[in-house]
Amino acid sequence: MPQPVTVFLRQGLVLKAAIAACLKKASPKRVHHLRSTTRRIDATLQLLVLSTGIPRIDKQAKPLQRFLRKLRRAAGAVRDADVQYDLLAAYNRTPDSKRLREDLTAVRKKSERKLIQRLEQEQKKIELRLNNLEAILTPALDLNLSGAKLISVTQSWFAESIRGLDPHHDQDLHTLRKTSKTARYLAETGVDASRAAAALAARYEAAQKSLGEWHDHFLLLHEAHTRLPPNSETIEQIQQDTERLHQRADTAASHLLAIA
């Protein structure tokens, strides 16, 4: 059966190591790992609050979640620059792609400095909050959730979180992407113990991938519009790809809404 307390304790160790690694060298791989780890811990905390009834868990979780959001935003700015830089490889033949690549390199360096500052500011605070939660959760180390309970909690949380969203609006489509990612991480808490939970996580992940590909190009298009002339061939090509991926994202959104 899924054991959310055990998962959280393991994730806490992973987060501490990820912070230490980024402070040494904020490589693209390490930044991505840090960002995804903050999301996974946030999802596990959400699961513990929703399903376990452990005393004080909600009150103790909120400060840590605030710190995680700060880290996620800082790491996200670096990650976005890394992803956009990689996406530009498809547009190498356009005359002004080099200019955009140089701009993104500068953006990445600036965002990396801010991330390092944030990590230095928050590292000890996060470790303290993790230690406090570990002390509260350790007595419940053997807590088990059934696969059916995990699936029910995940689907209920997802349905409530997307209520009122209109995927025809880009901002709501982006919110749906983030929500599906959290739902995936919730379901993955039981991926080793429940085939049904693993299948649900895979469905969220598939939709999240399509939504993510669109959003990555959407952000790249915004950067191109900001930094390149209006008649840029690079903008034109990115625009075409973004529109194509938007159609796929719409289909993924429809699938997500169908299983909510």
Side-chain angles (χ1 to χ4, degrees):
M1 288 186 177
Q3 294 183 306
V5 174
T6 301
V7 170
F8 173 80
L9 296 178
R10 183 170 63 245
Q11 289 172 339
L13 294 174
V14 172
L15 178 60
K16 293 175 184 178
I19 291 173
C22 277
L23 283 171
K24 289 181 179 179
K25 181 177 176 59
S27 66
K29 183 176 180 179
R30 290 179 177 182
V31 172
H32 178 48
H33 180 56
L34 172 65
R35 188 188 189 193
S36 62
T37 300
T38 65
R39 286 196 180 278
R40 288 184 181 278
I41 290 184
D42 208 11
T44 304
L45 286 171
Q46 190 72 38
L47 177 62
L48 289 167
V49 169
L50 290 171
S51 63
T52 62
I54 297 173
R56 296 187 294 147
I57 181 63
D58 188 20
K59 183 178 180 180
Q60 291 292 333
K62 286 181 179 178
L64 177 58
Q65 288 173 315
R66 284 196 296 270
F67 289 129
L68 292 176
R69 281 194 294 272
K70 292 178 182 179
L71 281 196
R72 192 157 54 246
R73 283 194 296 268
V78 182
R79 176 62 180 167
D80 287 345
D82 286 335
V83 170
Q84 291 161 25
Y85 188 93
D86 289 344
L87 288 177
L88 270 179
Y91 309 100
N92 275 341
R93 295 183 180 179
T94 58
D96 48 9
S97 62
K98 180 180 179 181
R99 172 181 168 183
L100 184 54
R101 185 174 292 104
E102 290 172 349
D103 286 348
L104 286 174
T105 299
V107 169
R108 209 273 185 192
K109 289 180 179 178
K110 182 177 180 180
S111 298
E112 180 182 336
R113 288 195 297 270
K114 290 183 177 180
L115 172 61
I116 296 302
Q117 291 173 356
R118 177 63 67 185
L119 290 174
E120 291 172 344
Q121 291 171 359
E122 308 294 354
Q123 182 180 27
K124 292 188 182 300
K125 298 174 185 177
I126 288 175
E127 290 180 354
L128 177 61
R129 293 298 180 184
L130 283 171
N131 292 339
N132 289 343
L133 276 167
E134 289 169 3
I136 293 172
L137 293 172
T138 297
L141 187 62
D142 295 328
L143 175 71
N144 292 318
L145 293 179
S146 68
K149 174 68 172 178
L150 175 60
I151 289 171
S152 175
V153 169
T154 300
Q155 291 179 320
S156 296
W157 176 86
F158 182 74
E160 181 62 28
S161 297
I162 66 171
R163 189 184 305 277
L165 293 181
D166 182 354
H168 294 99
H169 296 157
D170 287 344
Q171 186 58 48
D172 283 359
L173 196 62
H174 173 47
T175 299
L176 186 60
R177 179 190 71 86
K178 293 190 294 183
T179 306
S180 66
K181 184 178 292 188
T182 300
R184 167 197 164 191
Y185 291 156
L186 283 168
E188 283 184 350
T189 306
V191 71
D192 294 328
S194 168
R195 291 183 179 179
L200 180 63
R203 289 199 294 273
Y204 285 126
E205 184 178 11
Q208 172 207 324
K209 181 179 179 181
S210 294
L211 290 163
E213 288 175 345
W214 158 74
H215 190 252
D216 289 339
H217 281 77
F218 178 81
L219 293 180
L220 178 60
L221 181 61
H222 173 75
E223 289 294 330
H225 275 300
T226 300
R227 302 175 185 282
L228 299 179
N231 60 347
S232 165
E233 183 181 344
T234 302
I235 290 178
E236 181 181 352
Q237 291 190 14
I238 297 173
Q239 178 78 51
Q240 291 173 356
D241 287 340
T242 303
E243 290 174 357
R244 173 179 55 81
L245 291 168
H246 198 298
Q247 294 177 352
R248 290 174 55 184
D250 285 341
T251 300
S254 297
H255 291 162
L256 280 175
L257 295 174
I259 66 174

